[in-house]
Amino acid sequence: MIRAVLLDLLGVVYDGDTQIAGAVAAVEHLREAGLPLRFVSNTTRSPRDRILAQLAALGVRVTDEELLTPARAAVEWLRRHGRQPHLLVHPDLEAEFSSLDGRNGRAVVVGDAGDAFDHASLNRAFRELIAGADFLALATNRTFKDADGLLSLDAGAFVAALEFASGRSPVVLGKPSPDFFLSALAGLNCPAADAVMIGDDAESDVAGALRAGLGAALLVRTGKYRPGDETRFDPAPTALVDDLAAATDWILEARRAETDSGDAL
């Protein structure tokens, strides 16, 4: 029985400052059906308060506890391990790490630093790693849909460069880490097998969710989706749908079928 829904944001609910057609109404339909929601974004450029404000401006009701980002997961990791961060992230995100004063060593934190990715910044991070710092990747996405509508390099390429040079493997805190999906379900009293993920990234959103044990993962044809993405990664999507509105219809129909099947027994 479907008991919870995880949703990506960029490319699923909105593109830039514009909602994807029907997305706001689809979120409300899921809420009206009594399904708890968690918004699981891999964005590592926008701080948390800006994401919540953007959603509110679009008319999407999201509480603080419903939004999970890699930056929040990283802060919790750093606090738990007592590490001081060496940041290679977008300047807008740096404030989220300002309250940390770890005394048990250092950790390199890599996100989508945008124009801050240059040889000097990458080399500083590399030197921290070979000196023994822990290695945290906020996300390993290959690409994202940029403001001009085209795909741009995401953090994954730069994480891979540091991994290659240092010989160190990162702790991945965002999607496709299984822990990220499972932490989104924590507190919902919902087994992973009873949850559905909706995303536009066949690798991080969909295959990642299925590898984490979620019962279904739907790939939408919006955002960064390109024809053929549904065949490029394993596991393949449970279903390929046009957009969030179609994904909502799929979920509600699947729930009705489950209910009808239960009534027939």
Side-chain angles (χ1 to χ4, degrees):
M1 182 70 174
I2 297 172
R3 297 169 56 189
V5 180
L6 308 185
L7 301 96
D8 187 27
L9 288 174
L10 180 61
V12 175
V13 176
Y14 56 73
D15 270 330
D17 293 324
T18 305
Q19 73 144 311
I20 292 172
V24 175
V27 171
E28 287 305 308
H29 290 157
L30 291 170
R31 291 196 187 280
E32 290 165 1
L35 285 164
L37 307 180
R38 290 294 182 267
F39 297 84
V40 287
S41 173
N42 253 16
T43 183
T44 60
R45 286 195 177 189
S46 297
R48 187 178 191 81
D49 57 354
R50 186 182 301 169
I51 296 171
L52 290 169
Q54 181 179 9
L55 288 166
L58 293 174
V60 183
R61 299 183 294 115
V62 179
T63 65
D64 184 70
E65 69 174 6
E66 289 178 325
L67 174 63
L68 185 64
T69 65
R72 169 163 283 191
V75 169
E76 292 174 354
W77 191 100
L78 292 163
R79 283 182 178 145
R80 188 165 63 251
H81 292 85
R83 300 295 196 266
Q84 181 70 33
H86 173 93
L87 298 175
L88 182 50
V89 300
H90 195 277
D92 290 348
L93 203 66
E94 291 179 356
E96 301 225 348
F97 297 86
S98 61
S99 62
L100 296 165
D101 58 354
R103 300 176 183 177
N104 297 329
R106 294 171 65 77
V108 172
V109 181
V110 185
D112 179 8
D115 291 340
F117 279 131
D118 55 28
H119 180 269
S121 64
L122 285 162
N123 201 46
R124 285 192 294 270
F126 163 72
R127 289 177 172 178
E128 289 279 353
L129 291 172
I130 62 173
D134 289 300
F135 188 6
L136 305 183
L138 297 186
T140 55
N141 295 68
R142 300 170 191 268
T143 62
F144 69 97
K145 185 177 178 182
D146 217 327
D148 60 2
L150 301 177
L151 296 183
S152 287
L153 280 174
D154 210 329
F158 302 96
V159 172
L162 288 169
E163 184 174 5
F164 173 79
S166 67
R168 303 275 304 282
S169 296
V171 175
V172 180
L173 295 164
K175 297 173 289 185
S177 166
D179 288 344
F180 190 75
F181 292 102
L182 298 179
S183 64
L185 295 173
L188 292 181
N189 192 30
C190 175
D194 292 340
V196 178
M197 173 70 200
I198 304 171
D200 68 329
D201 187 320
E203 183 177 21
S204 292
D205 293 337
V206 173
L210 293 171
R211 283 196 297 268
L214 271 71
L218 310 181
L219 179 63
V220 295
R221 292 188 179 94
T222 54
K224 69 166 66 173
Y225 170 81
R226 293 296 182 269
D229 281 355
E230 63 275 15
T231 66
R232 293 190 178 115
F233 304 100
D234 184 50
T238 308
L240 177 66
V241 295
D242 284 341
D243 50 25
L244 180 53
T248 296
D249 290 341
W250 187 97
I251 289 169
L252 297 182
E253 179 57 36
R255 291 193 78 198
R256 281 192 291 269
E258 290 168 344
T259 300
D260 292 344
S261 175
D263 290 343
L265 294 178

